[in-house]
Amino acid sequence: MMRAFQTVLGLGSDAWDVYLLYGPGVRWDGDLPPRPDFWMHQLEEADRLAPFLDPYVFAERAMTLLTGH
């Protein structure tokens, strides 16, 4: 499972300590998971790919996806 997300997120190692958000209606229908609408991490190597985890920003983005604003 971690390797599937590694591929989708463009990571050089297994995907762990990653936090993914998907909008309503997103489905995993293929061999790989869908690309998240937004994600954050706690990995040094992923700084060029996504923001480091900030729980307030993450919660704000989650509310935006859930409510549409």
Side-chain angles (χ1 to χ4, degrees), residues 10-59:
L11 296 170
S13 61
D14 290 343
W16 61 279
D17 274 352
V18 294
Y19 307 87
L20 314 174
L21 291 174
Y22 294 90
V26 173
R27 296 178 50 96
W28 183 342
D29 292 327
D31 292 335
L32 293 175
R35 181 134 178 92
D37 292 310
F38 181 74
W39 67 285
M40 298 182 103
H41 65 87
Q42 291 184 322
L43 306 169
E44 289 181 27
E45 72 175 77
D47 283 342
R48 62 182 173 74
L49 301 170
F52 197 84
L53 180 63
D54 177 325
Y56 299 105
V57 171
F58 192 82

